[in-house]
Amino acid sequence: MGIQKDRVRFNVGGRIFETTATTLANAGRNSMFGAMFDEDWNLQSDNSNEYFIDRNPDCFAVLLDLLRTQELHIPANMSEKLLYREALYYGLLDHVRSAKWGPFDGNRLWLSGTVAGQAPGDGTAIRAGPDGGCCVAHGCMVHVYDWMLDEHPPINLDYQRVNDVGWVDSENIVISVCERLGRGDGGMGLFSSSNGELRYKFQVNHENQVKSFTAGALCFGSDYKIFSSCKGRSNEYGVGVWDQITGKQTDFFYEPPGWSLGDADKLQWLQGSNCLLVATLFPRKDNCYISLLDLREKKMVWSWSDIGAPVTVDEKRVRDAIAMEESNSICVVNEYEDLGFIDLRSSGGSVRWSSRSRLMKGKMPDEPCYPKLALHEGQLFSSMNDSISVFCGPDWVLTSRLRRSYGGSICDFSIGGDRLFALHSEENVFDIWETPPPPII
């Protein structure tokens, strides 16, 4: 870059600051300071000795230091919200967010905060947003938080119970809800994350007729596709596919006889094989059904069920499942946090269980929550009661455990935006876990 080494002088709220064009260029093209350069990154001069900015000088000093060192040091007497407001003005909010926590690593997470929810009753789901925020579903409400954990106007679904929620991007959220008999509503909608406005509904068409339906588990695939398990009143049982830009239905995979798709607890898009994992799990059904759907060929290419398998102890019931494409397997977990693996290279195989229950300490809580699984950048996460375990390596060895003593069992957790969010069942609170920035060498 042809960056000049000229010194630049600012008068911010009456205080004088001097820096260089090189430091200002670190702010990037989309910032206020980026607008001071031409297309070759040469500082454009208006022949003035200094630039006057009528803003808070203390915050400017912190942000200028961030541009110099790529490190964020907030004085104890400074309001973080005030600093964020000033960073937004200068176009430096992304720099602040990047400096507050480091790249996600499950073995280095620390509890950075806890937020008490406002809604009564147990939470349904928590979903991490792409920019470090999250949303929490409680009954017929969805509470949305930005990365600063400021709550936006809640989304009220008019007494329809929320089944799942997912982020299309930082500005849009998809919510799936139950159908209410006699009302002809239910299904899915796309909402603004900032103001809760309904942008459009996703409809199911069956035999050229629009049908009301209950939408369940959600996931997002390639080519801007949205998938949801669906239950209708007649034959609309299966998995629907919509275009997330237009909201139009593009496909529907109907549930075959003797199988379960419309009641699915979990959907997962597999980018490598262009298939959709659909898992219906105990106790929603008396048996577990896990399958891979190839929507291009309109067929089920792999399936597993515990129908007919001898069940002598309840802990062998599968409570969650997640596909692991690199190892051609599906990881499952039971209520004692025993991990199991199913080979994707053959249908109908048995589960190879790997006991982890010996690692648990203490007694089971009065109201335990079913375990959940997540896979993120080669690390496997499993929630159990009030903690989340982290497994690493080819043999999935337990390497870390995240636990806190307040809030009761963890009913759901989600990873995104370089944060892990854990929703507790008893006290209606959620925790935020972050990876601290790398140490200064």
mmCIF file of all heavy atoms in Angstrom, residues 240-257:
data_model
loop_
_atom_site.group_PDB
_atom_site.id
_atom_site.type_symbol
_atom_site.label_atom_id
_atom_site.label_comp_id
_atom_site.label_asym_id
_atom_site.label_seq_id
_atom_site.Cartn_x
_atom_site.Cartn_y
_atom_site.Cartn_z
ATOM 1 N N GLY A 240 -39.920 -30.069 4.879
ATOM 2 C CA GLY A 240 -40.123 -29.052 3.860
ATOM 3 C C GLY A 240 -38.844 -28.302 3.564
ATOM 4 O O GLY A 240 -37.954 -28.196 4.410
ATOM 5 N N VAL A 241 -38.757 -27.761 2.348
ATOM 6 C CA VAL A 241 -37.593 -26.993 1.908
ATOM 7 C C VAL A 241 -38.088 -25.672 1.332
ATOM 8 O O VAL A 241 -39.018 -25.665 0.507
ATOM 9 C CB VAL A 241 -36.774 -27.753 0.846
ATOM 10 C CG1 VAL A 241 -35.472 -27.007 0.550
ATOM 11 C CG2 VAL A 241 -36.490 -29.179 1.285
ATOM 12 N N TRP A 242 -37.472 -24.576 1.765
ATOM 13 C CA TRP A 242 -37.867 -23.246 1.290
ATOM 14 C C TRP A 242 -36.637 -22.453 0.874
ATOM 15 O O TRP A 242 -35.520 -22.709 1.343
ATOM 16 C CB TRP A 242 -38.599 -22.474 2.390
ATOM 17 C CG TRP A 242 -39.938 -23.013 2.754
ATOM 18 C CD1 TRP A 242 -41.152 -22.635 2.266
ATOM 19 C CD2 TRP A 242 -40.202 -24.036 3.723
ATOM 20 N NE1 TRP A 242 -42.159 -23.362 2.855
ATOM 21 C CE2 TRP A 242 -41.605 -24.225 3.760
ATOM 22 C CE3 TRP A 242 -39.400 -24.817 4.551
ATOM 23 C CZ2 TRP A 242 -42.209 -25.161 4.589
ATOM 24 C CZ3 TRP A 242 -39.993 -25.756 5.383
ATOM 25 C CH2 TRP A 242 -41.387 -25.919 5.395
ATOM 26 N N ASP A 243 -36.860 -21.484 0.022
ATOM 27 C CA ASP A 243 -35.837 -20.506 -0.340
ATOM 28 C C ASP A 243 -35.890 -19.395 0.706
ATOM 29 O O ASP A 243 -36.920 -18.747 0.881
ATOM 30 C CB ASP A 243 -36.115 -19.947 -1.740
ATOM 31 C CG ASP A 243 -35.012 -19.027 -2.228
ATOM 32 O OD1 ASP A 243 -34.735 -18.013 -1.533
ATOM 33 O OD2 ASP A 243 -34.450 -19.284 -3.291
ATOM 34 N N GLN A 244 -34.769 -19.167 1.388
ATOM 35 C CA GLN A 244 -34.788 -18.201 2.485
ATOM 36 C C GLN A 244 -34.853 -16.755 1.989
ATOM 37 O O GLN A 244 -35.179 -15.854 2.772
ATOM 38 C CB GLN A 244 -33.560 -18.385 3.371
ATOM 39 C CG GLN A 244 -32.241 -17.976 2.746
ATOM 40 C CD GLN A 244 -31.067 -18.279 3.650
ATOM 41 O OE1 GLN A 244 -31.039 -19.283 4.342
ATOM 42 N NE2 GLN A 244 -30.067 -17.410 3.639
ATOM 43 N N ILE A 245 -34.599 -16.506 0.728
ATOM 44 C CA ILE A 245 -34.673 -15.146 0.190
ATOM 45 C C ILE A 245 -36.097 -14.800 -0.213
ATOM 46 O O ILE A 245 -36.621 -13.728 0.122
ATOM 47 C CB ILE A 245 -33.717 -14.986 -1.002
ATOM 48 C CG1 ILE A 245 -32.267 -15.193 -0.552
ATOM 49 C CG2 ILE A 245 -33.877 -13.605 -1.633
ATOM 50 C CD1 ILE A 245 -31.257 -15.145 -1.671
ATOM 51 N N THR A 246 -36.762 -15.725 -0.908
ATOM 52 C CA THR A 246 -38.122 -15.454 -1.393
ATOM 53 C C THR A 246 -39.192 -15.985 -0.446
ATOM 54 O O THR A 246 -40.344 -15.533 -0.505
ATOM 55 C CB THR A 246 -38.330 -16.087 -2.769
ATOM 56 O OG1 THR A 246 -38.246 -17.522 -2.649
ATOM 57 C CG2 THR A 246 -37.272 -15.602 -3.746
ATOM 58 N N GLY A 247 -38.848 -16.956 0.401
ATOM 59 C CA GLY A 247 -39.826 -17.578 1.287
ATOM 60 C C GLY A 247 -40.684 -18.618 0.603
ATOM 61 O O GLY A 247 -41.609 -19.170 1.222
ATOM 62 N N LYS A 248 -40.402 -18.951 -0.657
ATOM 63 C CA LYS A 248 -41.218 -19.893 -1.414
ATOM 64 C C LYS A 248 -40.774 -21.331 -1.151
ATOM 65 O O LYS A 248 -39.581 -21.614 -1.040
ATOM 66 C CB LYS A 248 -41.124 -19.609 -2.917
ATOM 67 C CG LYS A 248 -41.536 -18.194 -3.310
ATOM 68 C CD LYS A 248 -42.986 -17.908 -2.970
ATOM 69 C CE LYS A 248 -43.402 -16.530 -3.452
ATOM 70 N NZ LYS A 248 -44.812 -16.213 -3.084
ATOM 71 N N GLN A 249 -41.755 -22.234 -1.065
ATOM 72 C CA GLN A 249 -41.451 -23.648 -0.908
ATOM 73 C C GLN A 249 -40.863 -24.186 -2.207
ATOM 74 O O GLN A 249 -41.387 -23.950 -3.297
ATOM 75 C CB GLN A 249 -42.717 -24.424 -0.558
ATOM 76 C CG GLN A 249 -42.493 -25.929 -0.388
ATOM 77 C CD GLN A 249 -43.791 -26.675 -0.144
ATOM 78 O OE1 GLN A 249 -44.765 -26.098 0.331
ATOM 79 N NE2 GLN A 249 -43.815 -27.959 -0.467
ATOM 80 N N THR A 250 -39.743 -24.916 -2.099
ATOM 81 C CA THR A 250 -39.085 -25.462 -3.281
ATOM 82 C C THR A 250 -39.147 -26.977 -3.344
ATOM 83 O O THR A 250 -38.932 -27.559 -4.402
ATOM 84 C CB THR A 250 -37.605 -25.019 -3.335
ATOM 85 O OG1 THR A 250 -36.928 -25.496 -2.162
ATOM 86 C CG2 THR A 250 -37.498 -23.505 -3.400
ATOM 87 N N ASP A 251 -39.428 -27.633 -2.205
ATOM 88 C CA ASP A 251 -39.456 -29.091 -2.200
ATOM 89 C C ASP A 251 -40.128 -29.583 -0.925
ATOM 90 O O ASP A 251 -40.313 -28.813 0.033
ATOM 91 C CB ASP A 251 -38.033 -29.660 -2.299
ATOM 92 C CG ASP A 251 -37.989 -31.031 -2.977
ATOM 93 O OD1 ASP A 251 -39.058 -31.660 -3.090
ATOM 94 O OD2 ASP A 251 -36.896 -31.444 -3.381
ATOM 95 N N PHE A 252 -40.488 -30.871 -0.945
ATOM 96 C CA PHE A 252 -41.047 -31.504 0.247
ATOM 97 C C PHE A 252 -40.733 -32.993 0.181
ATOM 98 O O PHE A 252 -41.023 -33.642 -0.835
ATOM 99 C CB PHE A 252 -42.559 -31.292 0.355
ATOM 100 C CG PHE A 252 -43.104 -31.511 1.737
ATOM 101 C CD1 PHE A 252 -43.270 -30.444 2.610
ATOM 102 C CD2 PHE A 252 -43.439 -32.784 2.181
ATOM 103 C CE1 PHE A 252 -43.762 -30.634 3.889
ATOM 104 C CE2 PHE A 252 -43.924 -32.993 3.462
ATOM 105 C CZ PHE A 252 -44.089 -31.922 4.318
ATOM 106 N N PHE A 253 -40.118 -33.506 1.231
ATOM 107 C CA PHE A 253 -39.791 -34.929 1.313
ATOM 108 C C PHE A 253 -40.802 -35.579 2.242
ATOM 109 O O PHE A 253 -40.786 -35.354 3.448
ATOM 110 C CB PHE A 253 -38.368 -35.118 1.848
ATOM 111 C CG PHE A 253 -37.806 -36.490 1.619
ATOM 112 C CD1 PHE A 253 -36.854 -36.717 0.647
ATOM 113 C CD2 PHE A 253 -38.235 -37.573 2.383
ATOM 114 C CE1 PHE A 253 -36.335 -37.993 0.432
ATOM 115 C CE2 PHE A 253 -37.721 -38.840 2.184
ATOM 116 C CZ PHE A 253 -36.772 -39.048 1.192
ATOM 117 N N TYR A 254 -41.699 -36.372 1.665
ATOM 118 C CA TYR A 254 -42.779 -36.962 2.455
ATOM 119 C C TYR A 254 -42.275 -38.141 3.284
ATOM 120 O O TYR A 254 -41.386 -38.886 2.861
ATOM 121 C CB TYR A 254 -43.927 -37.402 1.547
ATOM 122 C CG TYR A 254 -44.702 -36.243 0.991
ATOM 123 C CD1 TYR A 254 -44.411 -35.732 -0.275
ATOM 124 C CD2 TYR A 254 -45.704 -35.636 1.727
ATOM 125 C CE1 TYR A 254 -45.105 -34.652 -0.787
ATOM 126 C CE2 TYR A 254 -46.409 -34.555 1.221
ATOM 127 C CZ TYR A 254 -46.103 -34.074 -0.034
ATOM 128 O OH TYR A 254 -46.796 -32.990 -0.537
ATOM 129 N N GLU A 255 -42.868 -38.288 4.438
ATOM 130 C CA GLU A 255 -42.486 -39.336 5.381
ATOM 131 C C GLU A 255 -42.910 -40.702 4.845
ATOM 132 O O GLU A 255 -44.087 -40.932 4.569
ATOM 133 C CB GLU A 255 -43.153 -39.049 6.723
ATOM 134 C CG GLU A 255 -42.843 -40.006 7.834
ATOM 135 C CD GLU A 255 -43.513 -39.536 9.127
ATOM 136 O OE1 GLU A 255 -43.040 -38.532 9.693
ATOM 137 O OE2 GLU A 255 -44.503 -40.182 9.543
ATOM 138 N N PRO A 256 -41.964 -41.648 4.688
ATOM 139 C CA PRO A 256 -42.350 -42.984 4.206
ATOM 140 C C PRO A 256 -43.069 -43.776 5.291
ATOM 141 O O PRO A 256 -42.913 -43.493 6.483
ATOM 142 C CB PRO A 256 -41.014 -43.621 3.841
ATOM 143 C CG PRO A 256 -40.012 -42.924 4.702
ATOM 144 C CD PRO A 256 -40.519 -41.525 4.884
ATOM 145 N N PRO A 257 -43.874 -44.758 4.909
ATOM 146 C CA PRO A 257 -44.577 -45.571 5.911
ATOM 147 C C PRO A 257 -43.592 -46.265 6.857
ATOM 148 O O PRO A 257 -42.537 -46.749 6.436
ATOM 149 C CB PRO A 257 -45.326 -46.600 5.056
ATOM 150 C CG PRO A 257 -45.447 -45.958 3.713
ATOM 151 C CD PRO A 257 -44.223 -45.127 3.533
#
